[in-house]
PDB file of all heavy atoms in Angstrom:
ATOM      1  N   ASP A 252      -4.855   8.365   5.159  1.00  0.00           N
ATOM      2  CA  ASP A 252      -5.400   7.120   5.681  1.00  0.00           C
ATOM      3  C   ASP A 252      -5.697   7.222   7.069  1.00  0.00           C
ATOM      4  O   ASP A 252      -6.785   6.828   7.668  1.00  0.00           O
ATOM      5  CB  ASP A 252      -4.468   5.907   5.397  1.00  0.00           C
ATOM      6  CG  ASP A 252      -5.033   4.627   5.845  1.00  0.00           C
ATOM      7  OD1 ASP A 252      -5.994   4.156   5.198  1.00  0.00           O
ATOM      8  OD2 ASP A 252      -4.528   4.030   6.860  1.00  0.00           O
ATOM      9  N   TYR A 253      -4.719   7.902   7.873  1.00  0.00           N
ATOM     10  CA  TYR A 253      -4.953   8.128   9.314  1.00  0.00           C
ATOM     11  C   TYR A 253      -6.131   8.962   9.508  1.00  0.00           C
ATOM     12  O   TYR A 253      -6.967   8.686  10.443  1.00  0.00           O
ATOM     13  CB  TYR A 253      -3.743   8.669   9.946  1.00  0.00           C
ATOM     14  CG  TYR A 253      -3.866   9.043  11.431  1.00  0.00           C
ATOM     15  CD1 TYR A 253      -3.856   8.111  12.354  1.00  0.00           C
ATOM     16  CD2 TYR A 253      -4.110  10.444  11.765  1.00  0.00           C
ATOM     17  CE1 TYR A 253      -3.968   8.451  13.740  1.00  0.00           C
ATOM     18  CE2 TYR A 253      -4.237  10.766  13.122  1.00  0.00           C
ATOM     19  CZ  TYR A 253      -4.148   9.761  14.040  1.00  0.00           C
ATOM     20  OH  TYR A 253      -4.382  10.085  15.422  1.00  0.00           O
ATOM     21  N   MET A 254      -6.260  10.043   8.829  1.00  0.00           N
ATOM     22  CA  MET A 254      -7.333  11.045   9.018  1.00  0.00           C
ATOM     23  C   MET A 254      -8.712  10.323   8.739  1.00  0.00           C
ATOM     24  O   MET A 254      -9.668  10.538   9.289  1.00  0.00           O
ATOM     25  CB  MET A 254      -7.147  12.242   8.082  1.00  0.00           C
ATOM     26  CG  MET A 254      -5.953  13.091   8.428  1.00  0.00           C
ATOM     27  SD  MET A 254      -5.622  14.379   7.222  1.00  0.00           S
ATOM     28  CE  MET A 254      -7.093  15.305   7.201  1.00  0.00           C
ATOM     29  N   LEU A 255      -8.759   9.581   7.610  1.00  0.00           N
ATOM     30  CA  LEU A 255      -9.997   8.870   7.369  1.00  0.00           C
ATOM     31  C   LEU A 255     -10.382   7.810   8.358  1.00  0.00           C
ATOM     32  O   LEU A 255     -11.542   7.581   8.728  1.00  0.00           O
ATOM     33  CB  LEU A 255      -9.868   8.236   5.981  1.00  0.00           C
ATOM     34  CG  LEU A 255      -9.911   9.089   4.743  1.00  0.00           C
ATOM     35  CD1 LEU A 255      -9.602   8.290   3.523  1.00  0.00           C
ATOM     36  CD2 LEU A 255     -11.212   9.828   4.599  1.00  0.00           C
ATOM     37  N   ARG A 256      -9.388   7.196   9.021  1.00  0.00           N
ATOM     38  CA  ARG A 256      -9.579   6.109  10.124  1.00  0.00           C
ATOM     39  C   ARG A 256     -10.235   6.984  11.218  1.00  0.00           C
ATOM     40  O   ARG A 256     -11.100   6.515  11.928  1.00  0.00           O
ATOM     41  CB  ARG A 256      -8.369   5.411  10.503  1.00  0.00           C
ATOM     42  CG  ARG A 256      -7.946   4.415   9.520  1.00  0.00           C
ATOM     43  CD  ARG A 256      -6.749   3.698  10.052  1.00  0.00           C
ATOM     44  NE  ARG A 256      -6.183   2.732   9.129  1.00  0.00           N
ATOM     45  CZ  ARG A 256      -6.689   1.524   9.047  1.00  0.00           C
ATOM     46  NH1 ARG A 256      -7.647   1.160   9.953  1.00  0.00           N
ATOM     47  NH2 ARG A 256      -6.295   0.666   8.205  1.00  0.00           N
ATOM     48  N   GLN A 257      -9.755   8.211  11.573  1.00  0.00           N
ATOM     49  CA  GLN A 257     -10.159   8.921  12.686  1.00  0.00           C
ATOM     50  C   GLN A 257     -11.661   9.466  12.468  1.00  0.00           C
ATOM     51  O   GLN A 257     -12.449   9.648  13.349  1.00  0.00           O
ATOM     52  CB  GLN A 257      -9.285  10.144  12.944  1.00  0.00           C
ATOM     53  CG  GLN A 257      -7.887   9.734  13.453  1.00  0.00           C
ATOM     54  CD  GLN A 257      -7.853   8.869  14.584  1.00  0.00           C
ATOM     55  OE1 GLN A 257      -8.614   9.149  15.612  1.00  0.00           O
ATOM     56  NE2 GLN A 257      -7.186   7.776  14.601  1.00  0.00           N
ATOM     57  N   SER A 258     -11.873   9.656  11.129  1.00  0.00           N
ATOM     58  CA  SER A 258     -13.290  10.180  10.753  1.00  0.00           C
ATOM     59  C   SER A 258     -14.294   9.224  11.004  1.00  0.00           C
ATOM     60  O   SER A 258     -15.494   9.519  11.164  1.00  0.00           O
ATOM     61  CB  SER A 258     -13.322  10.624   9.287  1.00  0.00           C
ATOM     62  OG  SER A 258     -13.260   9.485   8.481  1.00  0.00           O
ATOM     63  N   GLU A 259     -14.004   7.911  11.150  1.00  0.00           N
ATOM     64  CA  GLU A 259     -14.933   6.899  11.478  1.00  0.00           C
ATOM     65  C   GLU A 259     -15.559   7.138  12.836  1.00  0.00           C
ATOM     66  O   GLU A 259     -16.726   6.751  12.996  1.00  0.00           O
ATOM     67  CB  GLU A 259     -14.257   5.495  11.512  1.00  0.00           C
ATOM     68  CG  GLU A 259     -13.827   5.022  10.069  1.00  0.00           C
ATOM     69  CD  GLU A 259     -13.143   3.760  10.034  1.00  0.00           C
ATOM     70  OE1 GLU A 259     -13.009   3.077  11.236  1.00  0.00           O
ATOM     71  OE2 GLU A 259     -12.771   3.266   9.023  1.00  0.00           O
TER      72      GLU A 259
END
Side-chain angles (χ1 to χ4, degrees):
D252 183 71
Y253 174 78
M254 292 172 61
L255 289 174
R256 285 182 182 275
Q257 296 305 308
S258 69
E259 292 179 356

